[in-house]
Amino acid sequence: IMPIRVTDTSGTGYSSMIASGLTYAADRGVRIANISFANQPIRAAVVSAAQYMKDKGGLVFVAAGNNGIDEGFTPTTSMIPVAATDGSDIKASWSSFGSYVALAAPGVSIYTTSRGGGYTTASGTSIATPVAAGVAALMFAARPTLTSAQVESVLFKTAVDLGSPGRDSYYGYGRVDAASAVAAALAFTSTTDTQAPSVSIASPIGSTTLSGLAPVNVSATDNVGVTRVELRVNGALVATDTASPFGFSWDTTIVPSG
């Protein structure tokens, strides 16, 4: 367990501090990160750092928020936003919602530690988020060889589907089910893909002179499927695209000419 402070002692901080904490954790092999702060799906620095951790085999869980409204955030696959349910398996009235919500977890009157020592009960999506993160941690503990994508997939598939059938704006894929998720992780089998994908840069063509924001288009195919394409410049990750046709906008001004 690696507690990382991302605020000052009063609890105030910046997105850059959270992003730095995520990067620090990812570089040290941490596989689960819990961020009990709202509004993270719209913090570009945090979303980027969350994708960095996911690419390194980890998962990032964030709080959906406690405003009780549709936040209107754009869904992201970089992190897992968690809504809160009550003792009746219903979304808490104050739990924010929207298409960005991926999971739900118990978040009303949850027994937890108290500042200054001892224990108390607390409510909020900040409490629900670590419940969901804890379930994913149990899955990794049960099957350390699973990838972040595999754990995420099993976590979603084993969640108890509440609300409208399938993913919805109140519960995401459903309320986490620890027992089912761990059992599924233990029983997980995957088909080995032995055929390498075919990938090439369609444009710009070789030896082309570029300046400013340069569009980069990539052709990528595979017999099983392509889940993402990464654009790297001199070994450094510039951008990731998860949907075909794969394309990027590369800021050439941040690298030396040549």
Side-chain angles (χ1 to χ4, degrees):
I1 298 176
M2 184 185 290
I4 299 176
R5 179 180 290 282
V6 293
T7 70
D8 60 23
T9 54
S10 70
T12 301
Y14 299 93
S15 297
S16 59
M17 297 161 70
I18 297 174
S20 294
L22 278 177
T23 302
Y24 179 92
D27 286 341
R28 285 155 182 79
V30 173
R31 305 198 73 182
I32 296 291
N34 177 81
I35 305 176
S36 285
F37 290 109
N39 302 320
Q40 298 314 301
I42 58 172
R43 309 299 187 197
V46 181
V47 172
S48 178
Q51 185 62 52
Y52 179 74
M53 173 171 273
K54 192 172 185 180
D55 291 342
K56 293 177 77 70
L59 291 173
V60 178
F61 293 77
V62 299
N66 301 332
N67 294 319
I69 61 172
D70 185 341
E71 300 286 1
F73 299 156
T74 300
T76 174
T77 58
S78 298
M79 53 181 62
I80 300 176
V82 183
T85 56
D86 61 18
S88 299
D89 240 4
I90 298 174
K91 185 189 79 70
S93 61
W94 37 258
S95 180
S96 293
F97 56 93
S99 58
Y100 69 101
V101 171
L103 277 179
V108 176
S109 298
I110 305 300
Y111 205 49
T112 185
T113 51
S114 176
R115 185 176 185 181
Y119 294 86
T120 185
T121 58
S123 300
T125 55
S126 290
I127 303 298
T129 304
V131 172
V135 173
L138 290 173
M139 296 169 68
F140 273 130
R143 285 286 298 275
T145 57
L146 292 178
T147 66
S148 57
Q150 289 167 341
V151 167
E152 183 181 60
S153 176
V154 172
L155 191 63
F156 292 163
K157 288 179 180 177
T158 58
V160 178
D161 192 2
L162 303 174
S164 302
R167 184 174 183 175
D168 62 64
S169 297
Y170 295 105
Y171 305 97
Y173 289 99
R175 189 257 301 142
V176 291
D177 184 328
S180 295
V182 171
L186 287 170
F188 185 87
T189 57
S190 61
T191 302
T192 301
D193 181 7
T194 58
Q195 180 175 318
S198 174
V199 59
S200 62
I201 295 178
S203 64
I205 60 175
S207 301
T208 300
T209 299
L210 305 173
S211 64
L213 292 176
V216 179
N217 297 309
V218 175
S219 172
T221 58
D222 183 68
N223 65 312
V224 174
V226 177
T227 58
R228 75 175 185 273
V229 170
E230 296 178 352
L231 175 66
R232 294 178 180 270
V233 178
N234 297 327
L237 180 64
V238 173
T240 300
D241 195 355
T242 58
S244 179
F246 301 105
F248 310 92
S249 180
W250 174 35
D251 184 1
T252 65
T253 64
I254 64 175
V255 295
S257 298

